[in-house]
């Protein structure tokens, strides 16, 4: 049962604080935009049936990863899928400090504010996060979202002989940009890999004559 009604005018204060952040316009200068690069580890790939196990995120400010400002939270496992454990390594009764889904959403919203969200294959992470919010009676996220998979394809040269693939995995981007995969398949580790890839993609896009922040965000 949802803790708060989406139609209620009495949404929790932390949602109101988050929503109020969007009264500020996104800066037109790339150096002035805060990006939050995130990843989720989940019990599976179903928006309805599966749940978030952990959320990892890093901030990019002035085109630099702010290594002192990370989010690394673990959620209580309401559902358990033993088949996904070999991927993320999160056991149901592990030694990590875990918090409830609603508390995780509160911490997450406080962390991201009105930043531009960046993720690899972002549709999945955003879908899981919005479902978690909705289960607790909260609306969907309001942030602008960028997908490194989509952005990477913009850096590629297209000819009638060479066509980009439909999708590029995070492993492929890590290999193409020589990024260490030491902490692959942890939420924070994947967020960091995605952040490094994002900065390298931005560097390539800026070399194009028609690059602009407006085009990046639309």
């Amino acid at each position: 049962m949802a803790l708060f009604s989406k139609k209620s005018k009495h949404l929790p204060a932390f949602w109101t604080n988050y929503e109020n952040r969007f009264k500020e316009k996104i800066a037109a200068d790339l150096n002035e935009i805060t990006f939050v690069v995130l990843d989720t580890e989940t019990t599976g790939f179903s928006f309805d049936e599966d749940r978030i196990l952990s959320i990892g995120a890093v901030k990019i400010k002035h085109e630099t990863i702010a290594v002192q400002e990370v989010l690394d939270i673990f959620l209580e496992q309401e559902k358990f899928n033993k088949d996904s454990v070999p991927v993320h390594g999160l056991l149901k009764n592990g030694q990590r400090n875990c918090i409830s889904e609603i508390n995780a959403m509160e911490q997450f919203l406080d962390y991201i504010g009105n930043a531009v969200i960046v993720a690899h294959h972002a549709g999945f992470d955003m879908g899981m996060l919005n479902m978690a919010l909705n289960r607790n009676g909260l609306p969907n996220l309001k942030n602008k979202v960028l997908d490194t998979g989509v952005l990477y394809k913009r850096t590629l040269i297209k000819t009638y002989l060479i066509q980009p693939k439909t999708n590029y995995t995070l492993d492929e981007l890590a290999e193409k940009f020589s990024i260490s995969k030491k902490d692959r398949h942890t939420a924070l580790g994947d967020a960091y890999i995605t952040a490094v890839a994002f900065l390298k993609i931005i560097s390539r896009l800026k070399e194009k004559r028609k690059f602009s922040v407006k085009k990046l965000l639309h």
Side-chain angles (χ1 to χ4, degrees):
M1 180 181 292
L3 299 179
F4 309 100
S5 169
K6 284 191 283 186
K7 294 182 180 179
S8 171
K9 294 181 180 179
H10 304 291
L11 289 168
F14 69 81
W15 176 268
T16 304
N17 292 337
Y18 162 74
E19 201 168 38
N20 286 339
R21 298 284 295 277
F22 289 87
K23 294 177 181 177
E24 308 165 20
K25 291 185 177 180
I26 296 176
D29 185 336
L30 193 63
N31 281 299
E32 294 178 7
I33 299 175
T34 296
F35 297 94
V36 167
V37 188
L38 63 83
D39 181 73
T40 60
E41 293 298 326
T42 66
T43 57
F45 299 105
S46 169
F47 293 140
D48 294 318
E49 299 298 326
D50 287 300
R51 297 292 185 267
I52 297 172
L53 297 173
S54 63
I55 305 170
V58 298
K59 287 184 178 179
I60 292 178
K61 297 178 176 179
H62 309 294
E63 298 185 63
T64 302
I65 298 172
V67 293
Q68 301 302 319
E69 297 184 61
V70 303
L71 181 73
D72 192 21
I73 53 180
F74 298 86
L75 283 70
E76 295 169 353
Q77 293 197 35
E78 175 187 339
K79 296 194 174 184
F80 181 69
N81 178 4
K82 62 180 176 57
D83 294 332
S84 65
V85 172
V87 177
H88 50 66
L90 298 176
L91 299 172
K92 186 170 186 178
N93 297 310
Q95 300 301 310
R96 301 181 186 277
N97 292 323
C98 297
I99 60 177
S100 67
E101 187 174 70
I102 187 63
N103 286 339
M105 293 301 99
E106 181 175 0
Q107 288 188 29
F108 174 68
L109 292 174
D110 181 61
Y111 179 81
I112 63 171
N114 67 341
V116 175
I117 290 175
V118 179
H120 193 72
H121 297 161
F124 175 73
D125 296 291
M126 297 302 290
M128 292 298 290
L129 289 163
N130 283 329
M131 284 297 293
L133 289 166
N134 295 166
R135 272 193 299 274
N136 291 281
L138 298 171
N140 288 347
L141 292 166
K142 297 170 63 67
N143 305 69
K144 176 67 183 175
V145 181
L146 298 178
D147 188 321
T148 46
V150 174
L151 292 177
Y152 175 69
K153 289 197 289 186
R154 293 188 196 173
T155 70
L156 303 177
I157 297 172
K158 301 176 186 176
T159 70
Y160 70 94
L161 291 176
I162 304 174
Q163 289 294 321
K165 292 169 58 177
T166 302
N167 292 302
Y168 289 87
T169 66
L170 186 57
D171 284 322
E172 287 177 308
L173 263 60
E175 290 168 8
K176 290 178 185 297
F177 292 126
S178 300
I179 304 169
S180 169
K181 295 188 286 184
K182 178 183 176 183
D183 293 317
R184 185 77 172 92
H185 293 303
T186 65
L188 186 58
D190 285 358
Y192 184 79
I193 292 169
T194 304
V196 175
F198 175 67
L199 288 174
K200 291 181 179 293
I201 289 167
I202 290 296
S203 179
R204 288 192 180 185
L205 290 174
K206 286 167 68 176
E207 294 173 359
K208 294 181 176 290
R209 288 191 310 169
K210 295 182 179 181
F211 174 81
S212 69
V213 170
K214 185 176 180 180
K215 285 187 176 181
L216 176 67
L217 298 179
H218 293 87

